[in-house]
Amino acid sequence: MMRLMWVGLVVLLGSVGIGVYWSHDGFDPESIRGATVVITGCSTGIGEEMTYQYARLGAKILITARRENRLKEVVAKAKSLGAQEAHYVAGDMGKAEDCERTIQTAKEKFGRLDYLVLNHAGSSLGSVDERAAKLQTWDQDLDMDFYADFVDINLISYVRLASLALPLLKESSGHIVVMGSLGGKITFPYFSYMTTAKFGLDGFFGALRVELMKTKQNVSVSYVVPGFIRTAGAEEMVKKLPGGEKMLETAAPVKETAYTIIRGGATRTREIYVPSYTWVISRIRMFPGWLQDYLILNVFSP
Ligand SMILES: NC(=O)c1ccc[n+]([C@@H]2O[C@H](COP(=O)([O-])OP(=O)(O)OC[C@H]3O[C@@H](n4cnc5c(N)ncnc54)[C@H](OP(=O)(O)O)[C@@H]3O)[C@@H](O)[C@H]2O)c1
Ligand SMILES: *[C@@H]1O[C@H](CO)[C@@H](O)[C@H](O)[C@H]1NC(C)=O
């Protein structure tokens, strides 16, 4: 009996120790106070929520999206929550000049840049959510104009913005946070355009990360691997799917997701898995091909 209690105690202390070790990432919320942050895609969703959380931590924020009326509201709320400064640039990140204007404005307003959070997602050719909800294969719905535009907005503009911001980020030993996806680690049917962009981001920013290390430049690169996050947009899309209501129950809350990303960016975390189950699912790439295909087709595909 005594022995069993000792074993129990050792196991308990051991697991608490491991838990503390894993959760201790040295995040100091105070490090965000006064930090300068550019976030893209903030008129709604995870970007909007990250804006409010950076604001509460006392950051100086510049946000972008296309809808100016929404940006005005988000900036006003960010100020009321405690942002030291909050500005917006209304623009289309698919356009080179709007990317240039965004980074130029950050330079003029702040004179330095600590965080570049690349988060926007969309298409200039209609709603991506509506397209996604149709669950059609590439072959059933192939549209090269949509594809090229999607890659421009969701991949090339991320590279452009990071390239424009690098001189500023180097000066301040800054951070780049890239919103990837579980669809940037494993491939799903019906989302070929999305997996193209998200794998592409992992490819480009993975190379940039090691190049920065190799040339001893102190700019960190974090690639975020979100699972299904309960944003208004995601909710709309999923409701149109068969069994969508059930899927919603498994979606992760936006608030926790935004906090995990901010924390991971600040602690220079290489890859941010949120919720953490996305780490486990990403590991299926290590399995033999036939098993990967079986799991994708029978377990993980909508
Ligand atoms: N929600 C999820 O379950 C989930 C899962 C995996 C990955 N992610 C990734 O996480 C990020 C945020 O997702 P979310 O669900 O929060 O997205 P969302 O709700 O659809 O918001 C996307 C934001 O991007 C902006 N945007 C779209 N096209 C733009 C353009 N051409 N130029 C500038 N801004 C543009 C939109 O604003 P305007 O329309 O006003 O321009 C909006 O503010 C994305 O990179 C997404 O791929 C999300
Ligand atoms: C890199 O920058 C961070 C601050 O963002 C700093 O804590 C760290 O010491 C720097 N590392 C090197 C090698 O200069």
Side-chain angles (χ1 to χ4, degrees):
M1 194 58 198
M2 227 15 212
R3 175 180 289 191
L4 210 63
M5 267 174 63
W6 276 113
V7 170
L9 192 66
V10 167
V11 169
L12 184 72
L13 287 178
S15 21
V16 167
I18 290 168
V20 168
Y21 176 80
W22 278 97
S23 58
H24 179 78
D25 54 10
F27 177 53
D28 174 13
E30 276 302 309
S31 70
I32 306 292
R33 191 166 305 281
T36 53
V37 187
V38 168
I39 319 170
T40 67
C42 298
S43 57
T44 183
I46 306 169
E48 181 186 0
E49 180 58 30
M50 285 194 286
T51 304
Y52 299 147
Q53 297 201 17
Y54 273 118
R56 280 195 196 93
L57 295 168
K60 298 178 182 170
I61 305 163
L62 172 73
I63 61 174
T64 79
R66 291 166 301 180
R67 282 172 290 169
E68 186 165 14
N69 58 331
R70 283 294 301 140
L71 289 174
K72 281 186 180 155
E73 291 167 9
V74 176
V75 157
K77 186 165 169 190
K79 283 183 180 156
S80 76
L81 288 171
Q84 286 189 10
E85 289 180 35
H87 312 276
Y88 71 81
V89 170
D92 180 346
M93 295 302 112
K95 296 191 177 130
E97 60 269 27
D98 288 4
C99 294
E100 283 153 17
R101 197 155 51 86
T102 301
I103 303 303
Q104 189 54 35
T105 307
K107 196 172 175 175
E108 282 160 18
K109 299 279 184 202
F110 303 143
R112 61 177 280 142
L113 184 58
D114 298 302
Y115 289 90
L116 176 66
V117 183
L118 297 168
N119 165 80
H120 64 276
S123 157
S124 52
L125 302 170
S127 156
V128 180
D129 288 343
E130 262 166 48
R131 176 176 292 265
K134 284 194 259 164
L135 289 187
Q136 290 198 305
T137 63
W138 177 244
D139 184 41
Q140 284 165 333
D141 190 25
L142 62 86
D143 179 346
M144 280 313 299
D145 291 336
F146 167 76
Y147 188 84
D149 174 78
F150 192 86
V151 170
D152 259 345
I153 292 171
N154 300 279
L155 172 59
I156 298 186
S157 76
Y158 275 46
V159 175
R160 191 187 303 283
L161 285 159
S163 307
L164 290 162
L166 255 183
L168 284 172
L169 291 166
K170 282 191 220 164
E171 273 174 37
S172 57
S173 291
H175 315 67
I176 302 174
V177 177
V178 180
M179 289 298 274
S181 174
L182 186 54
K185 290 289 179 186
I186 59 176
T187 50
F188 296 99
Y190 313 125
F191 299 100
S192 50
Y193 49 90
M194 200 269 284
T195 54
T196 304
K198 298 301 191 184
F199 268 77
L201 290 174
D202 201 19
F204 177 82
F205 284 95
L208 182 68
R209 181 192 295 119
V210 289
E211 286 178 1
L212 289 166
M213 287 172 170
K214 196 154 187 135
T215 53
K216 305 215 173 356
Q217 317 248 28
N218 196 11
V219 177
S220 66
V221 178
S222 302
Y223 182 87
V224 187
V225 187
F228 181 36
I229 314 299
R230 194 164 186 153
T231 57
E235 211 163 295
E236 278 297 295
M237 183 198 94
V238 158
K239 278 186 183 149
K240 295 182 189 137
L241 298 180
E245 294 289 340
K246 244 204 145 58
M247 259 180 88
L248 264 187
E249 289 165 20
T250 65
V254 183
K255 284 200 165 69
E256 276 88 329
T257 304
Y259 188 75
T260 304
I261 296 166
I262 290 173
R263 190 178 175 127
T267 53
R268 308 179 99 86
T269 304
R270 197 172 175 280
E271 294 185 326
I272 302 167
Y273 290 90
V274 54
S276 43
Y277 70 75
T278 59
W279 184 86
V280 179
I281 299 180
S282 299
R283 298 283 84 72
I284 76 168
R285 294 283 286 193
M286 301 187 310
F287 295 173
W290 63 267
L291 187 53
Q292 282 186 48
D293 294 345
Y294 177 85
L295 289 171
I296 299 265
L297 290 170
N298 297 288
V299 183
F300 299 120
S301 112

